[in-house]
Amino acid sequence: MTQPTETPVAPPDPDPDPAPAALPPRRSGRNKVIGGVCGGLGRYCDIDPVIFRIAFGVLTVISGLGLVFYGFAWLLLPLDDEEENEARRLLSGRVEGPALVAVLMALAGCGIFLSMLSNGSVMSFAWLLTLAVAGIGVWSQRRSATPPDAPPDTAAAQTATGVAPAFGPGTAPPETKAPPTPVPPSWWRDPIVKDGTTGPVGTGYLWGAEGADAVPSFGAGARAGKDRDKKAADRATRGPRSIGGFVFLLALLAGGAGTAGAWNHQPLGTALQIGLTAALVVFGLGLVISAFVGRTGFGTLFLAVLTAALLAGASAMPKTITTQWTRTDWTPAAAADVRPSYALGSGEGTLDLSKVVVPVGQSVKTRAEVGAGRLKVVVPRGATVKAHIVVGVGDVQLPTEKPEDVDIQPHQKKTVTLPPPAGAKPAGTLELDLHVSIGQAEVDRAAS
């Protein structure tokens, strides 16, 4: 009795390949205007890079955050087909141009951001715009991801396995196509040569789409056609025209007009801020417009970053510095004529107290301030002087120092007591509070 044969059991299907891990964002090497950051983010989030470029431009103009984000992204995101990013090259000692530009952009953006911290409405709008762009990018990146239970594509499966799938209820046979129309020989497609045979035809064409049958041309018309084709190829290779020079000219005019308009009735720092802000707005708009029309190069980017750095410096200038340089002398004749304070924006101010008689046991207080320039105070010979001197950037000169002893330092603060010289007639006390933002503060004693 024969034993029944067992039906072989098919081996279990191998586990499907795990889904490939999502690649981290990278800077684009082809779709780029400056460093390829917006092109890489647009490709990663499946969004038009123009959206990121506009967002970075707006954030740069209103708060400087655009430069901060772009600079750090340039440093941290590697370029296509590269393993190292610019930050790693910079830390390893390989200082290159792109890394320096990225660092400069980030520093300039930080300077603008710090100068705008006091403007709450602008900063609130900047953060809301940042969160909105980030939310759009995350949502679009998740939306574009392929769901895990999506059915495989029939053409892709056939290409991968090499076997055409069987037609069933869920599939349709391919559409029947008519056979190609035979093309008879043509004298202009296969020209006759001297021995009566036909020869190959050149690859150029006179009209029609590329790849169509070509018509050989001769004479001046052929040369003109070749020249036109060469010019068209050159234009295609060069790409869109550069608008960097036009943007720089507009920024220069806007900066000069803004500064000139505020020069006579605003402090120096405010006038420079108005002009540099106008120039920076033009550069930002130029970078945004270049995403649609024309192109800008490294020069425009460098000038925009330099303008942002100058704007940060102008915002830090003391408001006491004016645009007019003047020379002023204050000469009170008696203690009752000494005012509580004296102020000068820019220039040289001299407070002559040599004629002021301070009675013994009494004191006279006053304050003198100069924004930029020189402040000199002449005190009576017999008075005891108690001076508190603050100089932002500059030098402090006292009667005990030589005139040629100049020591320029930042943030100088001195509190000194100067007793009267020997043999002088005793007098009261003179208390001075001297402030100079940029320049020199000098205390001198009258000869008699």
Side-chain angles (χ1 to χ4, degrees), residues 256-346:
T259 303
W263 188 262
N264 292 328
H265 57 277
Q266 293 289 347
L268 179 60
T270 303
L272 292 178
Q273 278 183 272
I274 294 174
L276 292 172
T277 301
L280 188 60
V281 168
V282 173
F283 280 125
L285 292 177
L287 293 175
V288 172
I289 294 174
S290 67
F292 302 94
V293 180
R295 61 181 175 87
T296 54
F298 175 78
T300 303
L301 171 63
F302 176 76
L303 291 176
V305 174
L306 180 61
T307 304
L310 293 176
L311 178 59
S315 63
M317 293 183 63
K319 301 303 180 182
T320 55
I321 301 177
T322 60
T323 58
Q324 305 296 328
W325 186 274
T326 58
R327 297 175 180 269
T328 304
D329 294 330
W330 302 291
T331 57
D337 299 334
V338 177
R339 301 202 303 254
S341 62
Y342 300 87
L344 177 65
S346 300

Side-chain angles (χ1 to χ4, degrees), residues 345-441:
S346 300
E348 297 184 10
T350 301
L351 178 58
D352 189 358
L353 302 175
S354 59
K355 298 180 180 180
V356 175
V357 178
V358 183
V360 178
Q362 297 184 10
S363 63
V364 175
K365 298 181 181 179
T366 187
R367 171 188 172 93
E369 181 178 5
V370 171
R374 182 188 181 197
L375 173 61
K376 181 178 180 181
V377 180
V378 181
V379 298
R381 180 172 177 80
T384 300
V385 179
K386 295 182 178 180
H388 176 67
I389 306 173
V390 178
V391 177
V393 178
D395 177 51
V396 176
Q397 284 284 330
L398 299 175
T400 56
E401 299 177 354
K402 297 180 180 180
E404 60 272 11
D405 187 10
V406 178
D407 185 14
I408 299 177
Q409 294 182 4
H411 305 293
Q412 294 201 52
K413 292 184 179 181
K414 291 186 178 181
T415 301
V416 296
T417 300
L418 303 175
K425 184 179 179 180
T429 302
L430 186 61
E431 298 181 9
L432 302 177
D433 188 12
L434 309 180
H435 291 261
V436 177
S437 299
I438 302 175
Q440 185 185 56

Side-chain angles (χ1 to χ4, degrees), residues 14-195:
D15 294 336
D17 295 335
L23 296 177
R26 288 176 173 269
R27 292 187 290 116
S28 175
R30 300 178 61 183
N31 186 8
K32 68 176 183 178
V33 176
I34 300 174
V37 173
C38 295
L41 292 178
R43 178 181 56 193
Y44 179 75
C45 299
D46 195 17
I47 296 179
D48 193 337
V50 174
I51 296 178
F52 287 101
R53 289 168 184 156
I54 294 176
F56 280 131
V58 173
L59 289 175
T60 297
V61 171
I62 64 176
S63 65
L65 287 175
L67 291 176
V68 177
F69 292 153
Y70 201 97
F72 281 104
W74 196 345
L75 288 174
L76 299 178
L77 297 182
L79 192 63
D80 288 338
D81 302 330
E82 292 186 3
E83 296 298 330
E84 285 187 335
N85 55 22
E86 299 296 338
R88 186 173 179 180
R89 293 192 181 99
L90 191 63
L91 293 177
S92 62
R94 288 171 290 172
V95 181
E96 299 177 355
L100 292 178
V101 173
V103 171
L104 185 59
M105 289 180 66
L107 291 178
C110 290
I112 301 176
F113 175 73
L114 293 177
S115 66
M116 299 296 293
L117 281 178
S118 59
N119 196 333
S121 59
V122 173
M123 295 307 302
S124 299
F125 175 74
W127 286 117
L128 288 176
L129 179 60
T130 303
L131 294 177
V133 174
I136 291 174
V138 173
W139 172 80
S140 179
Q141 200 273 338
R142 291 184 177 180
R143 177 181 59 84
S144 61
T146 304
D149 54 350
D153 183 61
T154 303
Q158 180 178 357
T159 303
T161 59
V163 179
F167 301 115
T171 59
E175 182 182 356
T176 304
K177 297 182 179 180
T181 303
V183 181
S186 174
W187 65 269
W188 56 267
R189 183 182 300 110
D190 299 323
I192 300 176
V193 294
K194 290 181 64 176
D195 57 356

